[in-house]
Amino acid sequence: AYPKKKSARHKKGILKMEAHQALERRRSTRWFLDRPVDPDDLKTIVVQGLHAPSWVNSQPYHAHIVTGETLQRIKDDYLEASRNGKESKPELPPTPLEDWSPLAQQNMTHWREGGEHTLGDIKVMEEAASHLYNAPAIVYLTLPKNFSPWSLYDLGGFGMGMIIAATDQGIASLPAYRFVIYPDIIRQHVEIPEDEVLVLGIGLGYRDSYAPVNRIIAAREPLTELLDYKE
């Protein structure tokens, strides 16, 4: 008889998880350890993210990985801007809170209240954000100017693919609006072409299990509230 094939994979002596495990174990990490991520691992994460579907295979997105001294300069400038009260001007404008659906507003309110309950003072979250969550690597994702709305789906799928690939390697992640609120600062240090729109930043690194901000858990809507099923 042939031996059964193992469904788990191995790399560098680490037991690899199945896709459903990566999805279930992924958590937003809001404070990372002072531990760099191997450049080859970062490149692998991007390559694996490219397996995400794309509208007519357009693949309109571009990834800019930033680490080391360049990222530290961005962090320093961000911290100064934050403490000076610099206005946020992301290149993809956020939707005002009052324009979200009632359900979305309710979910966001519950999340903020949960964060306050966990931390005792929500300013702890703001302090972590002002330091860009101590991320040792950030992947900035861009789209060409005048992009199709469908390209936002493509970029989101690409980003999620990278997040799952990172989780599979034991690398934590955080897709965050905060990473792109000062595009002028980012462009001072990263060569992002003028015809690209800075859409999202994803922090990558190793989770600090002792950081209070990493105890925050976001609840998800029950299936009965978000799914209609018809045969």
mmCIF file of all heavy atoms in Angstrom, residues 62-64 78 90-92 138-143 152 154-160 162-163 174-181 186 192 197-203:
data_model
loop_
_atom_site.group_PDB
_atom_site.id
_atom_site.type_symbol
_atom_site.label_atom_id
_atom_site.label_comp_id
_atom_site.label_asym_id
_atom_site.label_seq_id
_atom_site.Cartn_x
_atom_site.Cartn_y
_atom_site.Cartn_z
ATOM 1 N N HIS A 62 0.725 47.650 -7.911
ATOM 2 C CA HIS A 62 2.182 47.610 -7.780
ATOM 3 C C HIS A 62 2.506 47.608 -6.299
ATOM 4 O O HIS A 62 1.821 48.256 -5.498
ATOM 5 C CB HIS A 62 2.824 48.826 -8.449
ATOM 6 C CG HIS A 62 4.308 48.704 -8.615
ATOM 7 N ND1 HIS A 62 4.892 48.189 -9.745
ATOM 8 C CD2 HIS A 62 5.335 49.003 -7.776
ATOM 9 C CE1 HIS A 62 6.206 48.189 -9.618
ATOM 10 N NE2 HIS A 62 6.507 48.679 -8.422
ATOM 11 N N ALA A 63 3.533 46.855 -5.912
ATOM 12 C CA ALA A 63 3.923 46.751 -4.502
ATOM 13 C C ALA A 63 5.283 47.406 -4.290
ATOM 14 O O ALA A 63 6.214 47.206 -5.082
ATOM 15 C CB ALA A 63 3.971 45.283 -4.076
ATOM 16 N N HIS A 64 5.380 48.184 -3.223
ATOM 17 C CA HIS A 64 6.636 48.823 -2.836
ATOM 18 C C HIS A 64 6.968 48.363 -1.415
ATOM 19 O O HIS A 64 6.279 48.746 -0.460
ATOM 20 C CB HIS A 64 6.512 50.348 -2.865
ATOM 21 C CG HIS A 64 6.111 50.911 -4.198
ATOM 22 N ND1 HIS A 64 7.028 51.381 -5.115
ATOM 23 C CD2 HIS A 64 4.883 51.066 -4.768
ATOM 24 C CE1 HIS A 64 6.385 51.818 -6.193
ATOM 25 N NE2 HIS A 64 5.086 51.645 -6.006
ATOM 26 N N TYR A 78 6.704 60.634 10.311
ATOM 27 C CA TYR A 78 5.311 60.402 10.689
ATOM 28 C C TYR A 78 5.074 60.812 12.137
ATOM 29 O O TYR A 78 4.058 61.448 12.464
ATOM 30 C CB TYR A 78 4.966 58.919 10.517
ATOM 31 C CG TYR A 78 4.040 58.602 9.370
ATOM 32 C CD1 TYR A 78 4.460 58.767 8.044
ATOM 33 C CD2 TYR A 78 2.765 58.110 9.581
ATOM 34 C CE1 TYR A 78 3.624 58.455 6.987
ATOM 35 C CE2 TYR A 78 1.914 57.798 8.534
ATOM 36 C CZ TYR A 78 2.345 57.970 7.238
ATOM 37 O OH TYR A 78 1.508 57.666 6.193
ATOM 38 N N PRO A 90 -4.782 61.355 2.662
ATOM 39 C CA PRO A 90 -4.517 60.157 1.857
ATOM 40 C C PRO A 90 -4.943 60.363 0.413
ATOM 41 O O PRO A 90 -5.844 61.159 0.123
ATOM 42 C CB PRO A 90 -5.375 59.089 2.545
ATOM 43 C CG PRO A 90 -6.488 59.873 3.172
ATOM 44 C CD PRO A 90 -5.871 61.157 3.635
ATOM 45 N N GLU A 91 -4.294 59.658 -0.483
ATOM 46 C CA GLU A 91 -4.601 59.804 -1.905
ATOM 47 C C GLU A 91 -5.892 59.087 -2.295
ATOM 48 O O GLU A 91 -6.488 59.405 -3.329
ATOM 49 C CB GLU A 91 -3.422 59.300 -2.739
ATOM 50 C CG GLU A 91 -2.180 60.170 -2.553
ATOM 51 C CD GLU A 91 -0.963 59.710 -3.306
ATOM 52 O OE1 GLU A 91 -1.039 58.676 -4.005
ATOM 53 O OE2 GLU A 91 0.078 60.390 -3.198
ATOM 54 N N LEU A 92 -6.318 58.139 -1.489
ATOM 55 C CA LEU A 92 -7.642 57.519 -1.650
ATOM 56 C C LEU A 92 -8.481 58.020 -0.473
ATOM 57 O O LEU A 92 -8.355 57.515 0.642
ATOM 58 C CB LEU A 92 -7.552 55.991 -1.630
ATOM 59 C CG LEU A 92 -8.860 55.242 -1.914
ATOM 60 C CD1 LEU A 92 -9.310 55.474 -3.352
ATOM 61 C CD2 LEU A 92 -8.705 53.751 -1.649
ATOM 62 N N ILE A 138 6.911 47.453 5.657
ATOM 63 C CA ILE A 138 5.607 47.887 5.153
ATOM 64 C C ILE A 138 5.585 47.669 3.652
ATOM 65 O O ILE A 138 6.542 48.016 2.942
ATOM 66 C CB ILE A 138 5.320 49.369 5.460
ATOM 67 C CG1 ILE A 138 5.254 49.605 6.973
ATOM 68 C CG2 ILE A 138 4.001 49.803 4.817
ATOM 69 C CD1 ILE A 138 5.053 51.065 7.362
ATOM 70 N N VAL A 139 4.504 47.083 3.167
ATOM 71 C CA VAL A 139 4.293 46.952 1.726
ATOM 72 C C VAL A 139 3.249 47.993 1.341
ATOM 73 O O VAL A 139 2.105 47.936 1.791
ATOM 74 C CB VAL A 139 3.790 45.541 1.342
ATOM 75 C CG1 VAL A 139 3.642 45.456 -0.177
ATOM 76 C CG2 VAL A 139 4.743 44.472 1.843
ATOM 77 N N TYR A 140 3.662 48.968 0.540
ATOM 78 C CA TYR A 140 2.728 49.979 0.043
ATOM 79 C C TYR A 140 2.165 49.500 -1.288
ATOM 80 O O TYR A 140 2.922 49.123 -2.199
ATOM 81 C CB TYR A 140 3.434 51.321 -0.146
ATOM 82 C CG TYR A 140 3.890 51.961 1.151
ATOM 83 C CD1 TYR A 140 5.230 51.971 1.518
ATOM 84 C CD2 TYR A 140 2.960 52.553 2.009
ATOM 85 C CE1 TYR A 140 5.642 52.558 2.703
ATOM 86 C CE2 TYR A 140 3.363 53.139 3.203
ATOM 87 C CZ TYR A 140 4.704 53.135 3.541
ATOM 88 O OH TYR A 140 5.101 53.710 4.723
ATOM 89 N N LEU A 141 0.842 49.524 -1.403
ATOM 90 C CA LEU A 141 0.177 49.079 -2.619
ATOM 91 C C LEU A 141 -0.391 50.271 -3.372
ATOM 92 O O LEU A 141 -1.036 51.144 -2.776
ATOM 93 C CB LEU A 141 -0.942 48.091 -2.288
ATOM 94 C CG LEU A 141 -0.520 46.809 -1.568
ATOM 95 C CD1 LEU A 141 -1.736 45.904 -1.342
ATOM 96 C CD2 LEU A 141 0.547 46.069 -2.357
ATOM 97 N N THR A 142 -0.151 50.308 -4.661
ATOM 98 C CA THR A 142 -0.616 51.417 -5.487
ATOM 99 C C THR A 142 -1.421 50.917 -6.683
ATOM 100 O O THR A 142 -1.336 49.750 -7.076
ATOM 101 C CB THR A 142 0.574 52.243 -6.018
ATOM 102 O OG1 THR A 142 1.352 51.432 -6.908
ATOM 103 C CG2 THR A 142 1.457 52.745 -4.877
ATOM 104 N N LEU A 143 -2.187 51.832 -7.254
ATOM 105 C CA LEU A 143 -2.901 51.594 -8.504
ATOM 106 C C LEU A 143 -2.604 52.755 -9.442
ATOM 107 O O LEU A 143 -2.291 53.863 -8.979
ATOM 108 C CB LEU A 143 -4.415 51.518 -8.257
ATOM 109 C CG LEU A 143 -4.954 50.267 -7.561
ATOM 110 C CD1 LEU A 143 -6.444 50.441 -7.251
ATOM 111 C CD2 LEU A 143 -4.740 49.032 -8.419
ATOM 112 N N LEU A 152 -9.938 48.046 -7.446
ATOM 113 C CA LEU A 152 -9.902 48.032 -5.979
ATOM 114 C C LEU A 152 -10.133 46.616 -5.459
ATOM 115 O O LEU A 152 -9.538 46.213 -4.459
ATOM 116 C CB LEU A 152 -10.945 48.995 -5.410
ATOM 117 C CG LEU A 152 -10.631 50.477 -5.568
ATOM 118 C CD1 LEU A 152 -11.833 51.323 -5.150
ATOM 119 C CD2 LEU A 152 -9.398 50.858 -4.747
ATOM 120 N N ASP A 154 -9.253 43.953 -7.150
ATOM 121 C CA ASP A 154 -7.993 43.263 -7.471
ATOM 122 C C ASP A 154 -6.939 43.554 -6.407
ATOM 123 O O ASP A 154 -6.242 42.646 -5.936
ATOM 124 C CB ASP A 154 -7.483 43.710 -8.836
ATOM 125 C CG ASP A 154 -8.327 43.191 -9.991
ATOM 126 O OD1 ASP A 154 -9.264 42.428 -9.722
ATOM 127 O OD2 ASP A 154 -8.046 43.553 -11.136
ATOM 128 N N LEU A 155 -6.800 44.830 -6.037
ATOM 129 C CA LEU A 155 -5.801 45.199 -5.041
ATOM 130 C C LEU A 155 -6.122 44.570 -3.693
ATOM 131 O O LEU A 155 -5.229 44.095 -2.990
ATOM 132 C CB LEU A 155 -5.717 46.722 -4.922
ATOM 133 C CG LEU A 155 -4.650 47.257 -3.972
ATOM 134 C CD1 LEU A 155 -3.981 48.500 -4.542
ATOM 135 C CD2 LEU A 155 -5.259 47.589 -2.609
ATOM 136 N N GLY A 156 -7.413 44.545 -3.342
ATOM 137 C CA GLY A 156 -7.804 43.918 -2.078
ATOM 138 C C GLY A 156 -7.504 42.431 -2.061
ATOM 139 O O GLY A 156 -7.023 41.890 -1.060
ATOM 140 N N GLY A 157 -7.754 41.759 -3.187
ATOM 141 C CA GLY A 157 -7.447 40.336 -3.268
ATOM 142 C C GLY A 157 -5.958 40.070 -3.188
ATOM 143 O O GLY A 157 -5.512 39.131 -2.517
ATOM 144 N N PHE A 158 -5.180 40.910 -3.853
ATOM 145 C CA PHE A 158 -3.718 40.812 -3.819
ATOM 146 C C PHE A 158 -3.222 40.999 -2.381
ATOM 147 O O PHE A 158 -2.387 40.229 -1.885
ATOM 148 C CB PHE A 158 -3.140 41.877 -4.748
ATOM 149 C CG PHE A 158 -1.638 41.941 -4.785
ATOM 150 C CD1 PHE A 158 -0.851 40.796 -4.746
ATOM 151 C CD2 PHE A 158 -1.000 43.166 -4.891
ATOM 152 C CE1 PHE A 158 0.539 40.873 -4.801
ATOM 153 C CE2 PHE A 158 0.388 43.258 -4.947
ATOM 154 C CZ PHE A 158 1.153 42.113 -4.895
ATOM 155 N N GLY A 159 -3.763 42.011 -1.713
ATOM 156 C CA GLY A 159 -3.363 42.260 -0.332
ATOM 157 C C GLY A 159 -3.723 41.119 0.592
ATOM 158 O O GLY A 159 -2.915 40.698 1.429
ATOM 159 N N MET A 160 -4.932 40.590 0.442
ATOM 160 C CA MET A 160 -5.350 39.477 1.293
ATOM 161 C C MET A 160 -4.518 38.242 1.003
ATOM 162 O O MET A 160 -4.173 37.476 1.917
ATOM 163 C CB MET A 160 -6.830 39.169 1.080
ATOM 164 C CG MET A 160 -7.405 38.184 2.087
ATOM 165 S SD MET A 160 -7.283 38.811 3.788
ATOM 166 C CE MET A 160 -7.878 37.381 4.707
ATOM 167 N N MET A 162 -1.421 38.212 0.176
ATOM 168 C CA MET A 162 -0.156 38.402 0.881
ATOM 169 C C MET A 162 -0.309 38.174 2.379
ATOM 170 O O MET A 162 0.571 37.587 3.026
ATOM 171 C CB MET A 162 0.384 39.812 0.615
ATOM 172 C CG MET A 162 0.968 39.989 -0.767
ATOM 173 S SD MET A 162 1.885 41.540 -0.927
ATOM 174 C CE MET A 162 0.531 42.699 -0.954
ATOM 175 N N ILE A 163 -1.416 38.619 2.940
ATOM 176 C CA ILE A 163 -1.645 38.448 4.378
ATOM 177 C C ILE A 163 -1.736 36.970 4.748
ATOM 178 O O ILE A 163 -1.170 36.532 5.751
ATOM 179 C CB ILE A 163 -2.927 39.203 4.793
ATOM 180 C CG1 ILE A 163 -2.655 40.716 4.777
ATOM 181 C CG2 ILE A 163 -3.424 38.750 6.161
ATOM 182 C CD1 ILE A 163 -3.891 41.564 4.954
ATOM 183 N N LEU A 174 -0.720 43.700 9.308
ATOM 184 C CA LEU A 174 -1.720 44.718 9.621
ATOM 185 C C LEU A 174 -1.952 45.593 8.394
ATOM 186 O O LEU A 174 -1.102 46.412 8.040
ATOM 187 C CB LEU A 174 -1.267 45.600 10.785
ATOM 188 C CG LEU A 174 -2.226 46.753 11.124
ATOM 189 C CD1 LEU A 174 -3.539 46.214 11.688
ATOM 190 C CD2 LEU A 174 -1.595 47.742 12.092
ATOM 191 N N PRO A 175 -3.100 45.438 7.710
ATOM 192 C CA PRO A 175 -3.451 46.406 6.672
ATOM 193 C C PRO A 175 -4.049 47.620 7.378
ATOM 194 O O PRO A 175 -4.994 47.483 8.164
ATOM 195 C CB PRO A 175 -4.499 45.656 5.838
ATOM 196 C CG PRO A 175 -5.119 44.676 6.801
ATOM 197 C CD PRO A 175 -4.074 44.354 7.833
ATOM 198 N N ALA A 176 -3.514 48.811 7.145
ATOM 199 C CA ALA A 176 -3.958 49.956 7.944
ATOM 200 C C ALA A 176 -3.991 51.248 7.145
ATOM 201 O O ALA A 176 -3.069 51.552 6.378
ATOM 202 C CB ALA A 176 -3.059 50.126 9.167
ATOM 203 N N TYR A 177 -5.044 52.000 7.370
ATOM 204 C CA TYR A 177 -5.203 53.339 6.817
ATOM 205 C C TYR A 177 -4.067 54.242 7.282
ATOM 206 O O TYR A 177 -3.571 55.094 6.538
ATOM 207 C CB TYR A 177 -6.563 53.868 7.274
ATOM 208 C CG TYR A 177 -6.796 55.346 7.089
ATOM 209 C CD1 TYR A 177 -6.975 55.891 5.815
ATOM 210 C CD2 TYR A 177 -6.880 56.201 8.189
ATOM 211 C CE1 TYR A 177 -7.212 57.250 5.643
ATOM 212 C CE2 TYR A 177 -7.120 57.549 8.029
ATOM 213 C CZ TYR A 177 -7.284 58.072 6.755
ATOM 214 O OH TYR A 177 -7.524 59.413 6.587
ATOM 215 N N ARG A 178 -3.617 54.042 8.526
ATOM 216 C CA ARG A 178 -2.596 54.908 9.108
ATOM 217 C C ARG A 178 -1.320 54.941 8.276
ATOM 218 O O ARG A 178 -0.640 55.967 8.203
ATOM 219 C CB ARG A 178 -2.272 54.419 10.524
ATOM 220 C CG ARG A 178 -1.335 55.344 11.284
ATOM 221 C CD ARG A 178 -2.047 56.634 11.658
ATOM 222 N NE ARG A 178 -1.241 57.528 12.436
ATOM 223 C CZ ARG A 178 -1.727 58.270 13.427
ATOM 224 N NH1 ARG A 178 -3.005 58.212 13.745
ATOM 225 N NH2 ARG A 178 -0.943 59.084 14.103
ATOM 226 N N PHE A 179 -0.999 53.853 7.641
ATOM 227 C CA PHE A 179 0.239 53.774 6.874
ATOM 228 C C PHE A 179 0.268 54.741 5.686
ATOM 229 O O PHE A 179 1.343 55.047 5.171
ATOM 230 C CB PHE A 179 0.463 52.356 6.358
ATOM 231 C CG PHE A 179 0.798 51.353 7.436
ATOM 232 C CD1 PHE A 179 0.154 50.121 7.477
ATOM 233 C CD2 PHE A 179 1.746 51.626 8.399
ATOM 234 C CE1 PHE A 179 0.465 49.184 8.462
ATOM 235 C CE2 PHE A 179 2.069 50.699 9.387
ATOM 236 C CZ PHE A 179 1.424 49.480 9.424
ATOM 237 N N VAL A 180 -0.905 55.209 5.234
ATOM 238 C CA VAL A 180 -0.944 56.026 4.015
ATOM 239 C C VAL A 180 -1.562 57.408 4.228
ATOM 240 O O VAL A 180 -1.922 58.078 3.261
ATOM 241 C CB VAL A 180 -1.704 55.286 2.885
ATOM 242 C CG1 VAL A 180 -0.931 54.055 2.436
ATOM 243 C CG2 VAL A 180 -3.116 54.902 3.317
ATOM 244 N N ILE A 181 -1.678 57.862 5.480
ATOM 245 C CA ILE A 181 -2.339 59.155 5.713
ATOM 246 C C ILE A 181 -1.465 60.343 5.323
ATOM 247 O O ILE A 181 -1.981 61.441 5.092
ATOM 248 C CB ILE A 181 -2.799 59.315 7.179
ATOM 249 C CG1 ILE A 181 -1.601 59.288 8.136
ATOM 250 C CG2 ILE A 181 -3.827 58.255 7.530
ATOM 251 C CD1 ILE A 181 -1.987 59.631 9.577
ATOM 252 N N ILE A 186 5.744 59.745 2.556
ATOM 253 C CA ILE A 186 6.158 58.479 1.948
ATOM 254 C C ILE A 186 6.900 58.726 0.634
ATOM 255 O O ILE A 186 7.958 58.150 0.370
ATOM 256 C CB ILE A 186 4.934 57.573 1.709
ATOM 257 C CG1 ILE A 186 4.274 57.228 3.049
ATOM 258 C CG2 ILE A 186 5.333 56.286 0.968
ATOM 259 C CD1 ILE A 186 2.896 56.623 2.919
ATOM 260 N N ILE A 192 7.918 56.409 -5.676
ATOM 261 C CA ILE A 192 6.620 55.994 -6.212
ATOM 262 C C ILE A 192 6.283 56.923 -7.378
ATOM 263 O O ILE A 192 6.214 58.138 -7.203
ATOM 264 C CB ILE A 192 5.524 56.083 -5.138
ATOM 265 C CG1 ILE A 192 5.851 55.147 -3.967
ATOM 266 C CG2 ILE A 192 4.155 55.748 -5.728
ATOM 267 C CD1 ILE A 192 4.869 55.218 -2.815
ATOM 268 N N VAL A 197 -1.345 55.873 -7.650
ATOM 269 C CA VAL A 197 -2.080 56.342 -6.480
ATOM 270 C C VAL A 197 -1.776 55.423 -5.300
ATOM 271 O O VAL A 197 -1.911 54.200 -5.409
ATOM 272 C CB VAL A 197 -3.609 56.343 -6.744
ATOM 273 C CG1 VAL A 197 -4.375 56.782 -5.496
ATOM 274 C CG2 VAL A 197 -3.943 57.239 -7.918
ATOM 275 N N LEU A 198 -1.357 56.009 -4.203
ATOM 276 C CA LEU A 198 -1.053 55.236 -3.006
ATOM 277 C C LEU A 198 -2.368 54.865 -2.319
ATOM 278 O O LEU A 198 -3.113 55.738 -1.880
ATOM 279 C CB LEU A 198 -0.172 56.069 -2.078
ATOM 280 C CG LEU A 198 0.457 55.402 -0.872
ATOM 281 C CD1 LEU A 198 1.320 54.221 -1.281
ATOM 282 C CD2 LEU A 198 1.278 56.418 -0.088
ATOM 283 N N VAL A 199 -2.662 53.568 -2.258
ATOM 284 C CA VAL A 199 -3.965 53.112 -1.771
ATOM 285 C C VAL A 199 -3.902 52.537 -0.355
ATOM 286 O O VAL A 199 -4.702 52.890 0.509
ATOM 287 C CB VAL A 199 -4.570 52.060 -2.727
ATOM 288 C CG1 VAL A 199 -5.900 51.537 -2.192
ATOM 289 C CG2 VAL A 199 -4.763 52.659 -4.114
ATOM 290 N N LEU A 200 -2.933 51.658 -0.097
ATOM 291 C CA LEU A 200 -2.943 50.918 1.158
ATOM 292 C C LEU A 200 -1.520 50.557 1.588
ATOM 293 O O LEU A 200 -0.642 50.378 0.751
ATOM 294 C CB LEU A 200 -3.753 49.619 0.995
ATOM 295 C CG LEU A 200 -3.876 48.696 2.209
ATOM 296 C CD1 LEU A 200 -4.712 49.358 3.311
ATOM 297 C CD2 LEU A 200 -4.489 47.361 1.818
ATOM 298 N N GLY A 201 -1.335 50.443 2.895
ATOM 299 C CA GLY A 201 -0.085 49.928 3.429
ATOM 300 C C GLY A 201 -0.361 48.697 4.278
ATOM 301 O O GLY A 201 -1.367 48.647 5.000
ATOM 302 N N ILE A 202 0.487 47.698 4.177
ATOM 303 C CA ILE A 202 0.361 46.486 4.991
ATOM 304 C C ILE A 202 1.645 46.312 5.788
ATOM 305 O O ILE A 202 2.720 46.149 5.209
ATOM 306 C CB ILE A 202 0.115 45.237 4.120
ATOM 307 C CG1 ILE A 202 -1.168 45.397 3.304
ATOM 308 C CG2 ILE A 202 0.021 43.980 5.003
ATOM 309 C CD1 ILE A 202 -1.435 44.229 2.354
ATOM 310 N N GLY A 203 1.539 46.378 7.109
ATOM 311 C CA GLY A 203 2.688 46.148 7.963
ATOM 312 C C GLY A 203 2.937 44.662 8.123
ATOM 313 O O GLY A 203 1.987 43.876 8.268
#
